[in-house]
Amino acid sequence: MSARKPYVGGNWKMNLNGQQAVELASQLADGFTAGDQVQATVFPAFTHLEKVGKALDDKNSPIQLGAQDFYHQPNGAYTGEVSIAMLKDVGASVMLVGHSERRHVIGEPDTLINDKVLAALEAGLEVILCIGEKIEQREADKTHHINTGQLGYGLAGVSDAQMARVTIAYEPVWAIGTGKTATSQDAQETHQVIRQALWFLYNDDIANAVRIQYGGSCKPSNAVELFSQADIDGGLIGGAALKSEDFLAILQAAANSAGVPA
Ligand code: PGA
């Protein structure tokens, strides 16, 4: 049996106004009762963090508050950036790092991603490190090479102890927001390779303990099948995280997958 607690993140990206964000948070807080079986975090836009955190706290929800991005320097002349301390101050406890939109739309390199991973862990926060191949890399048979490379770069200098606060999200770039999902077999195969790479970088215990989420057009209709795979420990959800009934159904699928033999 896998002892890993499934983990589902809701990445709201640059969506929702403040009122919609609070309404969604409050509906999720009402509907999510499986906090013992599933870890859940939502990642609203920076400007909504404080109010979403309050909406969750008001209902004593176990849903954690996460930030979609941050800058790794503690303070200073970095116009437009937001520090870890500022995010902690508004209640964020989880940091998303290396999302494909930050890698490929904004242009963040692996070195910056590694700086961010290290800074968030140093600050005592949890990290979800996203990795994933583009379609041309998959077609050139480079899927495993790309994912293990991004994993190794992203985790450079992360200690064994710090790995207890790291989750990996495998998100094939071609599946994000496109409606195309990796088949559960393809996703499982890549998750298994990522877990082997964790064994190579760390050890057996860490490889077995780290949660690896799947992301990329995950929705209620495919979550059950994806989460039933031995090395898929939940998901990082974009589009389907914006509707409470869809996100709650995905959380339920994760709860049902808990304790499935791995
Ligand atoms: P999607 O996004 O579910 O809309 O494909 C996933 C993500 O980017 O984390």
Side-chain angles (χ1 to χ4, degrees):
M1 302 273 274
S2 161
R4 296 185 294 273
K5 183 175 182 174
Y7 187 2
V8 176
N11 176 9
W12 295 357
K13 307 190 182 184
M14 199 172 74
N15 292 302
L16 308 176
N17 63 32
Q19 193 192 335
Q20 291 166 329
V22 167
E23 270 166 26
L24 178 56
S26 146
Q27 287 161 358
L28 295 177
D30 286 338
F32 180 60
T33 52
D36 288 343
Q37 287 97 53
V38 182
Q39 183 174 352
T41 302
V42 290
F43 298 87
F46 288 140
T47 49
H48 306 338
L49 277 168
E50 199 156 7
K51 12 184 194 273
V52 167
K54 184 171 180 318
L56 294 171
D57 283 351
D58 282 350
K59 301 200 171 185
N60 274 326
S61 175
I63 298 173
Q64 291 170 278
L65 190 65
Q68 296 175 20
D69 187 37
F70 56 96
Y71 200 55
H72 59 286
Q73 296 291 353
N75 58 270
Y78 303 104
T79 300
E81 296 294 342
V82 175
S83 76
I84 293 172
M86 292 167 185
L87 294 166
K88 270 175 114 169
D89 202 37
V90 292
S93 58
V94 186
M95 301 282 137
L96 210 56
V97 186
H99 190 277
S100 84
E101 286 140 25
R102 301 227 45 100
R103 288 179 189 268
H104 304 302
V105 182
I106 313 290
E108 287 193 10
D110 281 304
T111 45
L112 177 60
I113 290 164
N114 180 238
D115 284 339
K116 291 186 177 191
V117 168
L118 293 173
L121 291 171
E122 277 302 310
L125 299 176
E126 294 176 41
V127 165
I128 297 181
L129 171 64
C130 307
I131 60 175
E133 81 285 358
K134 294 179 172 179
I135 190 65
E136 58 271 26
Q137 295 164 331
R138 170 162 282 261
E139 284 167 353
D141 228 2
K142 289 190 177 153
T143 297
H144 298 333
H145 174 80
I146 295 295
N147 283 294
T148 53
Q150 289 180 352
L151 187 78
Y153 272 122
L155 295 178
V158 174
S159 70
D160 287 17
Q162 287 175 326
M163 283 303 289
R165 286 183 279 114
V166 173
T167 297
I168 306 300
Y170 166 58
E171 302 200 295
V173 179
W174 48 271
I176 297 178
T178 58
K180 289 185 201 154
T181 319
T183 65
S184 53
Q185 289 79 11
D186 282 347
Q188 164 58 24
E189 184 189 318
T190 310
H191 279 234
Q192 200 175 358
V193 168
I194 294 165
R195 202 173 298 289
Q196 279 162 1
L198 287 169
W199 171 82
F200 183 74
L201 292 169
Y202 291 93
N203 57 48
D204 220 20
D205 287 348
I206 289 176
N208 279 323
V210 171
R211 273 88 52 88
I212 307 176
Q213 300 171 323
Y214 169 79
S217 300
C218 183
K219 42 192 179 266
S221 57
N222 57 27
V224 174
E225 164 81 15
L226 284 161
F227 299 169
S228 69
Q229 302 299 311
D231 290 292
I232 301 183
D233 308 309
L236 184 59
I237 319 300
L242 297 171
K243 284 201 204 125
S244 61
E245 62 275 24
D246 285 359
F247 195 62
L248 288 168
I250 293 170
L251 287 166
Q252 189 56 52
N256 294 345
S257 76
V260 168

